[in-house]
Amino acid sequence: CFGEPKTLTAALLCFLCRYRALTFILTFLLYTSFHLSRKPISIVKSELHKNCSSANELATVASSSQHPSLPSLHTSTDCSWKPFDKRNYKQLLGAMDYSFLCAYAVGMYLSGIIGERVPIRLYLTVGMLFSGLFTCLFGLGYVYNIHNMAFYIFVQVANGLVQTTGWPSVVTCIGNWFGKGRRGLVMGLWNSHTSVGNILGSLIAGYWVSSNWGLSFIVPGLIIAVMGVVCFLFLIERDPSLPQSYDTELLLPRDSVCVAMQPLVVVKRESEPSAISFMGALRIPGVIEFSLCLLFAKLVSYTFLFWLPLYITKTAHLDAKKAGDLSTLFDVGGIVGGILAGVISDKLGMRATTCAVMLLLAAPTLYGFSMISDFGLGPTIGMLLVCGGLVNGPYSLITTAVSADLGTHKSLKGNARALSTVTAIIDGTGSVGQYHGSISNWAAAFLSLETAELDYINVSNVLLVTSLPHM
């Protein structure tokens, strides 16, 4: 792609190389905006319910020293945001998470089936516009002083459903443009959008959380809506030189970005195959095993996503903004872990083994994090980075490279209309594990993480036995 191409074939291949890079960057930004819009709830939790007793004591001391006759500036009724000012606030906050995750898990199974049958560009655009709408609606609860729990539950359920349009769509797009040769590395780099979105979401939400938490939702909502328009204008779903059914890939060398004179080999069929059914996708070797494996991976990852800032606030006694900033280190570690998992799995050619080894290391690391968080800021920072890498590395590998591999499995005989459904099944099953992240007791929360990781290892051992012959 450097210099002037000398033939029509060279020009076509260079054109495809440029659009492959565009697809990589665009889908990266699109799903970054999805995660950016999910993160604010974890940052705002500590603002929805503050430590009212401490606030009242400080306000009472201040008011009595300056104006003894004046009442306290803070009372039990204005310290926290109703209805989260009650003693069962942890259950109420957990109910919001549960509402989102339940809707997300159910909707994910349907989303993949729909995504195989409608234009991905339109499907993704509509999903992003509605995701922006419902994210903004949550923030408008602050603007219009809404204290009805049913309103927030409805917004979370609706947002959970429309957010399911994102993952099957972007994985299908990236899988259509990139072959299997270096898929682990490509997907590892690409999947860092999850952590980048979480980091940006934390920083944006944290900027306004103490002054106007409504903007912590409205700004991310506007961002994902704008990205939906960008998606509609620029996204190209697949390599236009390949039909929807193909048996071979673009024959490019593994060590080159674009070679102008390489031939394109396509084996056409007499008729285009229909989209795969749900049961047909389940029969693909490895789908069930990796789906169960991801169930425990998402349990751990989303418990950190939804509860880590509040956990840091309560244990380290930091304000909401500082806790949100510190929690981003888990995602920084996740970026490195995802890339390493992809590179290692490409070199070894064994994705299941890579996942299992990282999970064996993750279980004691999570236990160490629950113990070391009392020893100061330095050890906590180190453990957050390590935990993020070991937890999100396998999570990233399963949801991207493994899903794309299974969606183009040789048993499909070239049918390219299975990737969205396979991705949705794996991610939807993983979303079931997210429910457990809505528990409310801190000690139970991190005990559950350790238990989940041990269960996750057992599933991984089964995965090794059943999947190594074809993974």
Side-chain angles (χ1 to χ4, degrees):
C1 291
F2 301 97
E4 290 295 328
K6 297 181 179 180
T7 66
L8 181 61
T9 302
L12 174 61
L13 290 176
C14 287
F15 173 81
L16 294 177
C17 284
R18 294 189 183 100
Y19 267 92
R20 181 177 295 176
L22 174 63
T23 301
F24 182 94
I25 296 171
L26 182 56
T27 53
F28 181 96
L29 295 176
L30 293 180
Y31 210 72
T32 294
S33 66
F34 271 99
H35 264 266
L36 183 150
S37 67
R38 295 177 195 172
K39 187 64 177 180
I41 185 64
S42 65
I43 304 299
V44 173
K45 278 178 180 177
S46 56
E47 189 70 18
L48 294 177
H49 183 89
K50 299 179 181 179
N51 190 338
C52 294
S53 59
S54 299
N56 288 334
E57 290 174 4
L58 292 174
T60 301
V61 171
S63 60
S64 60
S65 62
Q66 297 177 10
H67 303 284
S69 61
L70 295 179
S72 172
L73 297 175
H74 295 83
T75 66
S76 60
T77 60
D78 67 5
C79 175
S80 298
W81 187 265
K82 293 181 180 180
F84 306 103
D85 57 341
K86 302 174 183 178
R87 291 186 176 180
N88 67 335
Y89 73 96
K90 293 179 181 178
Q91 286 75 15
L92 295 178
L93 293 173
M96 288 200 302
D97 293 342
Y98 181 86
S99 300
F100 177 90
L101 297 174
C102 181
Y104 187 87
V106 173
M108 184 58 73
Y109 289 110
L110 300 175
S111 180
I113 297 173
I114 297 172
E116 298 285 10
R117 291 161 174 81
V118 299
I120 290 177
R121 181 172 64 94
L122 297 179
Y123 187 54
L124 187 55
T125 298
V126 171
M128 296 184 75
L129 291 175
F130 276 99
S131 295
L133 171 64
F134 291 119
T135 302
C136 288
L137 274 180
F138 199 106
L140 291 176
Y142 176 88
V143 176
Y144 291 101
N145 205 30
I146 299 174
H147 298 279
N148 189 336
M149 185 65 183
F151 168 79
Y152 296 105
I153 293 294
F154 165 77
V155 171
Q156 286 290 85
V157 170
N159 202 15
L161 288 174
V162 296
Q163 289 257 338
T164 61
T165 61
W167 189 243
S169 300
V170 295
V171 172
T172 299
C173 284
I174 203 75
N176 287 339
W177 278 92
F178 290 89
K180 294 183 179 180
R182 291 177 295 177
R183 185 172 277 168
L185 172 60
V186 171
M187 292 291 198
L189 290 168
W190 177 77
N191 195 58
S192 61
H193 55 53
T194 299
S195 298
V196 172
N198 290 340
I199 292 170
L200 292 176
S202 297
L203 297 177
I204 292 173
Y207 184 81
W208 283 289
V209 64
S210 299
S211 57
N212 183 347
W213 62 258
L215 290 176
S216 296
F217 290 91
I218 293 173
V219 173
L222 293 176
I223 291 175
I224 190 173
V226 170
M227 291 305 300
V229 176
V230 173
C231 170
F232 178 79
L233 295 176
F234 298 106
L235 182 66
I236 298 178
E237 300 175 16
R238 63 176 63 251
D239 185 338
S241 66
L242 294 178
Q244 290 191 354
S245 177
Y246 56 90
D247 290 332
T248 56
E249 304 175 19
L250 186 65
L251 301 181
L252 293 177
R254 294 169 60 93
D255 58 348
S256 176
V257 176
C258 179
V259 177
M261 297 305 295
Q262 292 296 321
L264 184 68
V265 179
V266 177
V267 180
K268 294 185 177 180
R269 300 188 182 276
E270 294 181 358
S271 61
E272 296 294 341
S274 58
I276 194 171
S277 66
F278 184 86
M279 295 305 299
L282 285 179
R283 287 193 289 268
I284 297 174
V287 168
I288 294 177
E289 295 90 339
F290 276 107
S291 296
L292 293 174
C293 195
L294 187 63
L295 184 147
F296 294 100
K298 273 207 164 186
L299 186 160
V300 178
S301 182
Y302 269 72
T303 299
F304 273 91
L305 174 67
F306 283 113
W307 288 106
L308 183 58
L310 185 56
Y311 174 80
I312 294 174
T313 299
K314 299 298 182 181
T315 58
H317 308 292
L318 299 175
D319 60 38
K321 185 179 185 306
K322 291 180 180 179
D325 293 344
L326 186 61
S327 69
T328 61
L329 294 175
F330 181 81
D331 295 297
V332 173
I335 295 174
V336 178
I339 295 173
L340 284 177
V343 172
I344 293 171
S345 68
D346 279 345
K347 293 292 185 182
L348 299 179
M350 296 182 291
R351 306 211 194 278
T353 303
T354 303
C355 290
V357 171
M358 295 186 76
L359 296 169
L360 283 168
L361 298 174
T365 304
L366 287 172
Y367 179 81
F369 175 75
S370 65
M371 299 291 103
I372 207 169
S373 57
D374 296 329
F375 289 88
L377 194 59
T380 300
I381 291 174
M383 291 301 290
L384 279 174
L385 291 170
V386 176
C387 285
L390 293 177
V391 170
N392 283 343
Y395 172 29
S396 168
L397 190 61
I398 294 172
T399 54
T400 54
V402 169
S403 296
D405 288 348
L406 295 176
T408 55
H409 194 268
K410 61 183 180 181
S411 64
L412 297 171
K413 299 179 180 180
N415 185 357
R417 300 185 64 189
L419 185 51
S420 181
T421 302
V422 169
T423 301
I425 290 173
I426 292 176
D427 199 53
T429 304
S431 299
V432 175
Q434 298 172 14
Y435 299 158
H436 202 56
S438 298
I439 58 181
S440 59
N441 180 272
W442 306 124
F446 282 89
L447 177 60
S448 71
L449 291 183
E450 297 148 21
T451 305
E453 280 294 328
L454 293 175
D455 291 339
Y456 191 1
I457 290 169
N458 291 332
V459 174
S460 298
N461 290 331
V462 176
L463 177 67
L464 283 171
V465 175
T466 57
S467 298
L468 277 178
H470 49 79
M471 290 301 294

